[in-house]
Amino acid sequence: MKPALLVLGKLSVFCSALAVWEMVSWDPQLAFFFGDPQRVVITLWQWFTEGEGVLDIAWGDHVLWSLHFPAQIYPHLIITLAETLLAFIIGTAMGMVAGLLLGINPLLSAIFSPYIKALNSLPRVILAPIFAMWFGLGIWSKVAFAVTLVFFVVFFNVWQGVRDVNPVLLDNVRMLGANKRQQLMTIYLPSATSWVFSSLHMAIGLAFVGSVVGEYLGSYRGIGYLLLQAEGSFDINTILAGTLLLTLFALLLDSGINIIERYAFKYRQVK
């Protein structure tokens, strides 16, 4: 299919959905439940153009410095993005290390895999109030909650990728005298690469979900906090504006992962 036709098809779907939404909003009763696209756009515009945002950088009870922004949305957006990126980085690192260790060590896998599976089956929402008690209502309780979502996705993908290594290839490498480090760098990591990047696309979305849900359950800053305030006043347009904003930034972060993925596979092929 020609690129121009593909772009035209995507725009047609978007415009059609927007037109249907606009027509639905003409009915005040339906607009109460489904929102008004014009009001959603106005809400987004006001968020980025009106008010003044202040973000205090603190260590404990001491405020180190205050950042001032030209609009009210920036402190909330920065907090949510910081929680998301921290959870994504920490959860991915922990998942990759644990997946590699258990994948290449059958004894560790046999000991710890039942506990990891049990923790994975635990409903994550019940952990949010526990983390709030441990870390308070700051960003770290949200980061900890989101890490629990990211970790298991990355862990199981890396674990499966390592376990899928061809045993004949591994035996040949061992016969040639490769040590554990060489086996890890030349066999296990390349085998797990595609599994890792497939998990990262899911992990970034889960990091967003964990951050926003954590804010929703208890916070004083962030997009989830704004959504909670809007829910209390039955403001569907603000809820949709926040949802649209989160979706756009999630797509941007996912695009960043696509760029890293292309460079990683290109480097592996060249090497």
Side-chain angles (χ1 to χ4, degrees):
M1 181 180 293
K2 295 182 178 180
L5 291 177
L6 184 60
V7 173
L8 181 61
K10 292 179 180 180
L11 288 175
S12 299
V13 172
F14 175 77
C15 293
S16 299
L18 191 61
V20 172
W21 186 16
E22 175 65 27
M23 288 187 290
V24 168
S25 68
W26 292 346
D27 186 335
Q29 293 183 347
L30 292 178
F32 178 81
F33 294 101
F34 297 101
D36 184 340
Q38 297 183 30
R39 293 184 179 274
V40 170
V41 173
I42 292 173
T43 299
L44 287 171
W45 177 260
Q46 291 174 342
W47 276 354
F48 284 95
T49 58
E50 297 181 1
E52 181 183 2
V54 179
L55 179 61
D56 293 328
I57 308 298
W59 180 265
D61 295 330
H62 302 283
V63 177
L64 300 179
W65 64 84
S66 297
L67 302 177
H68 295 267
F69 299 93
Q72 57 184 318
I73 191 62
Y74 291 105
H76 298 285
L77 187 58
I78 289 173
I79 289 293
T80 300
L81 290 177
E83 293 166 353
T84 300
L85 291 175
L86 285 171
F88 176 74
I89 294 170
I90 296 172
T92 299
M94 292 174 59
M96 290 181 64
V97 171
L100 284 171
L101 288 177
L102 270 65
I104 64 179
N105 194 316
L107 179 60
L108 288 178
S109 179
I111 293 174
F112 288 102
S113 60
Y115 299 102
I116 292 178
K117 291 178 181 178
L119 290 174
N120 185 43
S121 64
L122 186 71
R124 306 291 196 280
V125 177
I126 66 174
L127 297 176
I130 297 176
F131 291 142
M133 293 178 61
W134 289 356
F135 304 109
L137 295 179
I139 67 170
W140 291 110
S141 59
K142 286 71 177 176
V143 171
F145 178 69
V147 164
T148 62
L149 301 179
V150 174
F151 169 81
F152 291 103
V153 172
V154 177
F155 167 78
F156 283 113
N157 277 274
V158 174
W159 188 29
Q160 186 62 43
V162 172
R163 294 174 65 187
D164 277 352
V165 170
N166 190 332
V168 176
L169 177 62
L170 192 58
D171 290 338
N172 291 336
V173 171
R174 287 170 178 166
M175 289 177 60
L176 293 174
N179 55 33
K180 288 289 186 181
R181 180 180 177 279
Q182 291 170 332
Q183 294 173 29
L184 178 66
M185 299 301 296
T186 60
I187 302 298
Y188 288 113
L189 284 179
S191 175
T193 299
S194 59
W195 292 83
V196 168
F197 280 105
S198 66
S199 68
L200 293 185
H201 291 287
M202 294 183 289
I204 192 63
L206 290 174
F208 252 116
V209 170
S211 300
V212 174
V213 170
E215 293 170 352
Y216 196 86
L217 296 176
S219 67
Y220 53 90
R221 282 283 173 86
I223 303 299
Y225 170 78
L226 294 179
L227 295 179
L228 179 61
Q229 297 300 308
E231 181 191 3
S233 59
F234 298 99
D235 187 355
I236 186 64
N237 295 307
T238 300
I239 294 175
L240 292 175
T243 303
L244 179 60
L245 186 62
L246 290 173
T247 301
L248 291 175
F249 275 93
L251 290 175
L252 288 175
L253 292 178
D254 189 71
S255 300
I257 294 175
N258 286 330
I259 295 173
I260 296 173
E261 183 177 9
R262 285 198 295 268
Y263 277 103
F265 279 106
K266 184 185 297 184
Y267 172 78
R268 190 176 72 170
Q269 291 172 358
V270 172
K271 187 175 180 180

